Amino acid sequence: MKELVLIVDDEPGILTTLSHILADESYRTVTTSSGAEALEIYRRERPDLVFLDIWLADRDGLETLQAIRELDPAAAVIMMSGHGTAATAARSIKMGAHDYLEKPLSLGQVVGAAAGALEARRVLAPGISPLDRNREQQKEFRAPQGVPCLVESSVPQRTIAASSVIYGLGLHSGSRTGMVIQPLPPGSGIHFITLPTGTAIPAHVGAVADTEYATTLSKDGQNIKTVEHLLSALHAAGVTNLLIKVHGEIPVLDGSALAFCDRLLEIGIVDQDAPRLELRIDRRYEVGTPGGKHLVVEPADELSVSYLLRYPAPIGEQAYEFTMTDFEAYRREIAPARTFGFLRDLPMLNELGLGSGGRLDNFILVGEDEVVNTELRFPDEFVRHKILDILGDLYLLGYPLKARITARFTGHRDNIAIQRTILGS
């Protein structure tokens, strides 16, 4: 049966136009100008998608959105307004709307938003667990001997207490980017949704498309860049279920993971009524060459990372070892360490179309003899950031990790290569 779309707007012309557009795309539609009637229709017919105006004669659109979400937490709702503000858009997204469209609406906007919202709903629909999807994807990468064991932990699964919006620049795109994070139920996993296309991409190594200067996930021609800093904070916080909607690239913020940690604490991290699964390494895995670039992952009862870094002056050789005892230790020792780049590499980055969002306050710029743009937060901030990246990249295994990691001169490409070795691809 064709998918049913409920259209709620107090302008008859909008109701007619949207109905025709969606009918041409093979959707069934039902319309109303009343927020109260919209709730009754939703209770009775459970439409697959709702287009909902902010301004209604009988009831505020945001109140109607809240009531629909209370009826059905998985409801796919697209808000519309001809005179809304950025604050209204942000509030509607925080309340669970999939998207926000400004009037006058174009055909492309309507069709794209509808397809994106319905794809997101399908990914998160009851009976289609994203966790099961992750497991299926892992099977594609398994060697005959199978993956290391998944162990049920005494630690609960976790998500966030409420939705939130984070704005910033993309480090490599240079574009302003927005990110919405929303809680998910136990067993869901971590998923990205691209905006405005609505393409669903799991936080899994199988979706990695590029590792040049950052980790990029991709599906169906849609990319999400620079996921490692956010994933590092989520790994440390033990957040296992989360939906992340983003335009192209995760905001770089100050170039570290500290702002992500602080936002998680501000929103609240909540334990869920289900034990989490942890990935416990069963034997020694390695990529690279001893004496050169070398990355080793081996069995351990806790998660620890030891990293050796060596660059010409002014960085020199740095070594650091971090054990993930708790979130606060990560927030104190690793999260503040910022990404860094070299003055000599700027022409090449520009040729590659990368680094366009680099500002004096969101990364460390290293010249021939000194750090050019900032005071270091730690004398060994560079090696700490390498550990931050490893913790983020390795969360693409799909589960919190228990292992001892030893790294020497490695980067994103090696972090992804070791995961594919572990999963047997």
Side-chain angles (χ1 to χ4, degrees):
M1 184 179 293
K2 296 177 182 178
E3 289 155 314
L4 178 64
V5 181
L6 169 60
I7 307 168
V8 190
D9 199 292
D10 60 359
E11 297 181 48
I14 294 290
L15 296 178
T16 301
T17 300
L18 279 181
S19 292
H20 288 163
I21 289 173
L22 293 166
D24 287 344
E25 296 296 319
S26 299
Y27 297 109
R28 295 179 298 129
T29 62
V30 57
T31 65
T32 179
S33 60
S34 163
E37 186 177 3
L39 290 177
E40 290 305 315
I41 293 171
Y42 202 97
R43 287 190 184 96
R44 185 173 67 247
E45 302 194 36
R46 277 298 196 270
D48 301 287
L49 174 63
V50 181
F51 279 87
L52 175 60
D53 191 28
I54 290 285
W55 301 101
L56 298 172
D58 67 331
R59 182 169 187 163
D60 180 80
L62 292 176
E63 292 178 2
T64 305
L65 167 64
Q66 183 176 355
I68 288 174
R69 295 281 296 176
E70 288 172 356
L71 279 175
D72 178 9
V77 181
I78 297 169
M79 302 301 294
M80 307 178 291
S81 178
H83 33 263
T85 64
T88 305
R91 186 179 171 200
S92 66
I93 295 295
K94 285 182 180 179
M95 291 173 65
H98 173 82
D99 207 346
Y100 179 93
L101 302 181
E102 287 282 355
K103 298 176 183 176
L105 305 174
S106 70
L107 185 149
Q109 272 185 314
V110 171
V111 173
L118 289 168
E119 171 63 16
R121 182 181 174 93
R122 279 190 288 271
V123 168
L124 301 172
I128 309 176
S129 166
L131 182 60
D132 291 336
R133 288 174 182 248
N134 275 356
R135 286 171 176 161
E136 289 303 312
Q137 286 168 332
Q138 283 188 345
K139 289 177 184 177
E140 298 176 10
F141 295 93
R142 288 182 181 178
Q145 72 270 20
V147 298
C149 60
L150 288 171
V151 176
E152 192 174 278
S153 167
S154 59
V155 177
Q157 296 182 37
R158 290 179 179 142
T159 190
I160 56 176
S163 299
S164 185
V165 182
I166 301 172
Y167 294 107
L169 284 177
L171 177 62
H172 293 295
S173 66
S175 302
R176 290 201 62 79
T177 182
M179 179 177 75
V180 180
I181 53 177
Q182 296 178 339
L184 285 180
S188 296
I190 296 174
H191 295 263
F192 294 90
I193 299 285
T194 64
L195 297 176
T197 61
T199 302
I201 306 177
H204 189 271
V205 64
V208 173
D210 188 38
T211 54
E212 196 69 40
Y213 294 99
T215 301
T216 298
L217 305 182
S218 182
K219 182 182 177 185
D220 298 336
Q222 298 297 312
N223 297 322
I224 298 178
K225 300 178 181 179
T226 321
V227 300
E228 61 272 14
H229 299 172
L230 173 62
L231 288 177
S232 186
L234 296 177
H235 197 171
V239 173
T240 53
N241 303 302
L242 192 69
L243 184 63
I244 304 150
K245 301 176 183 176
V246 64
H247 291 269
E249 186 173 9
I250 302 296
V252 67
L253 304 179
D254 72 347
S256 76
L258 185 59
F260 293 125
C261 292
D262 290 346
R263 182 59 68 90
L264 290 173
L265 291 173
E266 177 187 338
I267 300 164
I269 302 167
V270 295
D271 291 347
Q272 297 177 289
D273 190 22
R276 80 179 188 189
L277 297 176
E278 296 175 345
L279 187 65
R280 291 183 178 267
I281 296 300
D282 59 338
R283 59 183 176 84
R284 178 185 172 97
Y285 297 87
E286 61 184 310
V287 295
T289 307
K293 277 192 171 187
H294 194 218
L295 180 59
V296 176
V297 178
E298 50 195 340
D301 293 329
E302 57 191 0
L303 176 58
S304 67
V305 184
S306 176
Y307 195 103
L308 174 66
L309 169 152
R310 186 182 298 144
Y311 284 105
I315 296 178
E317 183 174 296
Q318 298 181 4
Y320 196 78
E321 182 165 349
F322 173 73
T323 299
M324 188 80 79
T325 54
D326 55 36
F327 186 40
E328 183 54 37
Y330 170 87
R331 184 177 173 276
R332 182 179 61 249
E333 298 179 38
I334 301 299
R338 294 161 292 176
T339 193
F340 58 94
F342 297 89
L343 198 58
R344 64 176 181 267
D345 291 337
L346 291 184
M348 180 180 65
L349 288 171
N350 289 333
E351 287 181 13
L352 293 171
L354 301 173
S356 301
R359 299 291 185 269
L360 293 180
D361 61 351
N362 65 15
F363 82 121
I364 304 169
L365 183 60
V366 183
E368 293 296 326
D369 302 309
E370 62 183 357
V371 171
V372 172
N373 64 324
T374 187
E375 295 292 326
L376 294 179
R377 294 174 176 175
F378 309 99
D380 53 1
E381 187 168 354
F382 304 94
V383 69
R384 293 180 192 234
H385 186 80
K386 288 289 191 178
I387 293 174
L388 185 157
D389 281 346
I390 285 176
L391 293 171
D393 282 340
L394 265 65
Y395 208 25
L396 291 169
L397 284 165
Y399 303 92
L401 184 64
K402 295 293 185 184
R404 174 172 175 78
I405 302 161
T406 306
R408 178 186 175 98
F409 316 144
T410 53
H412 295 295
R413 182 176 302 173
D414 310 286
N415 299 341
I416 301 307
I418 196 75
Q419 292 178 72
R420 290 175 174 158
T421 299
I422 290 169
L423 296 179
S425 66

